[in-house]
């Protein structure tokens, strides 16, 4: 799942558009401020675009701008909105004769799905590596080494999970639309007109991608667990789970900084996340790029943005 759309104004010399999105089933979602649009290519080849407003789960600007807390809020919002957009896109590919679903029931099912997804993620990426690391405690005296082994297994499980799902045909197409999403944003942020040809020439990797966010979550979790040293196994596990929100908040700040800076050190820190994106983004075909363009144009006046970039370049 991608959180690119939850980062705002850029600073420095970056041409920051303020938009972002995620791939959905046979489509792309793009968000600009509180407006978002989902563009989906239906089975008959038609591109349908649905534009809506999303105010988020918290409207208090003070809380939304608090360091670390804003990362937690944005992560939860990305999960909720992402799941909603995936459900919308999937509705075009359900079997004919499907009865229209009750809105309240659908929201309830979506909430339960999000909760289950979080529980499964915690179990696979937090509890499982911890449990496996306990097998080494009787043979390795150094607690630091055991913690590093736990962290290594967490990273391997993360990589293995991505490699595994990338072999599924449906996921491969989602990753292609993920590439289309990034390429569209990179195209306009580099001052090029949003055309199929220009998008094709743009990069499919982006520093503010959710893949990079998740990678930093894994790495920062490994570093944070180095400081959790208690005798009780249960307490150790509880503390590992307790730091998850803090880790998400810190990871958000790292990605936020990466998306707003061209500093050499920041670019260097961004490299591993960009390398990870080679697994979660694939080169899209022209039909997928057209869907991405339709999604951008529904929520963003890219012509004005590109023109402002060109004017700034002329002034230099």
């Amino acid at each position: 799942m991608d959180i690119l759309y939850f980062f705002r104004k850029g600073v420095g010399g970056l041409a920051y558009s303020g938009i972002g999105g995620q791939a959905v089933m046979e489509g792309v979602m793009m968000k600009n401020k509180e407006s978002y649009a989902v563009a989906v290519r239906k089975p008959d080849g038609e591109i349908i675009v649905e534009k809506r407003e999303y105010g988020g789960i918290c409207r208090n600007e003070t809380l939304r701008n608090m360091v670390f807390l804003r990362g937690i809020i944005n992560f939860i919002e990305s999960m909720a909105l992402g799941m909603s957009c995936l459900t919308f896109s999937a509705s075009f590919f359900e079997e004919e004769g499907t009865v229209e679903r009750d809105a309240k029931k659908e929201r309830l099912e979506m909430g339960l799905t999000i909760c289950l997804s979080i529980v499964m993620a915690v179990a696979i990426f937090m509890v499982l590596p911890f449990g496996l690391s306990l097998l080494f405690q009787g043979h390795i005296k150094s607690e630091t080494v055991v913690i590093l082994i736990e962290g290594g297994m967490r990273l391997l499980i993360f990589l293995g999970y991505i490699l595994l799902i990338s072999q599924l045909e449906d996921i491969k197409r989602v990753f292609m639309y993920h590439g289309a999403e990034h390429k569209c944003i990179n195209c306009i942020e580099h001052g090029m007109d949003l055309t199929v040809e220009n998008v094709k020439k743009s990069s499919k990797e982006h520093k503010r991608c959710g893949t990079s966010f998740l990678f930093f979550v894994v790495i920062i979790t490994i570093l944070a667990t180095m400081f959790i040293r208690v005798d009780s196994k249960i307490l150790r596990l509880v503390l590992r789970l307790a730091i998850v929100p803090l880790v998400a908040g810190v990871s958000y700040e790292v990605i936020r900084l990466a998306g707003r800076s061209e500093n050499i050190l920041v670019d260097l820190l961004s490299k591993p996340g960009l390398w990870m994106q080679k697994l979660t983004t694939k080169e899209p075909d022209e039909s997928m790029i057209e869907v991405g363009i339709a999604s951008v144009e529904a929520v963003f006046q890219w012509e004005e943005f590109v023109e402002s970039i060109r004017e700034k370049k002329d002034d230099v």
Side-chain angles (χ1 to χ4, degrees), residues 171-191:
I171 299 299
K172 286 180 181 178
R173 291 191 61 80
V174 171
F175 284 175
M176 291 172 74
Y177 277 105
H178 190 192
E181 172 222 329
H182 283 188
K183 289 168 82 74
C184 285
I185 295 172
N186 277 321
C187 177
I188 58 176
E189 290 188 341
H190 283 81

Side-chain angles (χ1 to χ4, degrees), residues 185-254:
I185 295 172
N186 277 321
C187 177
I188 58 176
E189 290 188 341
H190 283 81
M192 297 189 292
D193 289 342
L194 191 62
T195 64
V196 172
E197 287 304 314
N198 286 339
V199 172
K200 286 171 69 175
K201 293 185 291 186
S202 301
S203 173
K204 65 181 180 66
E205 284 86 39
H206 200 291
K207 288 196 293 185
R208 290 179 281 116
C209 176
T211 302
S212 295
F213 170 80
L214 292 175
F215 177 79
F216 276 114
V217 166
V218 173
I219 297 302
I220 294 173
T221 298
I222 294 173
L223 296 176
T225 52
M226 296 293 293
F227 300 94
I228 301 177
R229 296 172 182 266
V230 293
D231 293 331
S232 171
K233 296 176 182 178
I234 295 178
L235 182 57
R236 259 184 288 163
L237 177 58
V238 170
L239 290 174
R240 277 161 169 71
L241 298 179
I243 66 171
V244 170
L246 177 62
V247 168
V250 173
S251 300
Y252 173 90
E253 298 301 327
V254 174

Side-chain angles (χ1 to χ4, degrees), residues 52 83-84 87-88 99-112:
R52 295 181 182 178
M83 193 65 67
S84 175
T87 301
F88 171 77
V99 179
E100 185 176 346
R101 305 179 67 183
D102 179 77
K104 289 184 178 180
K105 182 179 179 181
E106 188 171 323
R107 285 196 294 270
L108 176 61
E109 290 180 354
M110 189 181 303
L112 292 174

Side-chain angles (χ1 to χ4, degrees), residues 24-28 39-41 89 93 173-174 177 288 291:
V24 295
M25 184 177 292
E26 295 301 323
V28 174
V40 178
R41 189 176 290 279
S89 65
F93 303 92
R173 291 191 61 80
V174 171
Y177 277 105
M288 294 174 173
V291 174

Side-chain angles (χ1 to χ4, degrees), residues 5 8 19-20 29-36 54 81:
Y5 43 86
R8 294 292 179 254
I19 65 169
M29 182 276 282
M30 288 288 183
K31 189 172 188 297
N32 179 31
K33 298 179 181 177
E34 293 188 351
S35 297
Y36 73 95
Y54 181 70
L81 182 57

